[in-house]
Amino acid sequence: YGMSAAHKKLPFGSIVIVTNQNNNKSVVVRIHDCGPFIKGRIIDLSYGAAYLLDMINAGVVPVTVDIIELGKKKSSKKK
């Protein structure tokens, strides 16, 4: 399974550490999509990342997100 995530504000390609606050397990993921669009949620994780954080059964858990590297912002050039 992939190790990726979606975040509303971080640029695509950003690399972050996500830590499950319930068990202190962490994973490194790359931001590849925009979201989540549900109030109160800050990040959506791929199945592989969620599995390693032991959050599959819970679905939603409190996490911290620490930035390792910001991705490049998309070009705003108009054609």
Side-chain angles (χ1 to χ4, degrees):
Y1 296 101
M3 299 295 289
S4 59
H7 194 277
K8 283 186 259 188
K9 296 183 179 179
L10 291 174
F12 291 178
S14 294
I15 300 172
V16 299
I17 298 173
V18 180
T19 303
N20 180 337
Q21 293 179 357
N22 291 338
N23 61 19
N24 290 320
K25 291 187 177 187
S26 298
V27 294
V28 176
V29 295
R30 182 178 302 272
I31 304 298
H32 73 96
D33 202 358
C34 191
F37 298 103
I38 298 173
K39 188 176 180 178
R41 297 188 187 176
I42 59 171
I43 196 164
D44 274 341
L45 298 173
S46 65
Y47 181 88
Y51 178 83
L52 291 176
L53 291 176
D54 285 338
M55 59 175 284
I56 296 298
N57 290 331
V60 177
V61 300
V63 298
T64 56
V65 178
D66 296 299
I67 299 168
I68 296 174
E69 179 182 324
L70 281 177
K72 304 233 189 279
K73 292 186 179 184
K74 290 185 177 181
S75 173
S76 60
K77 293 180 183 176
K78 294 182 180 180
K79 292 184 178 184

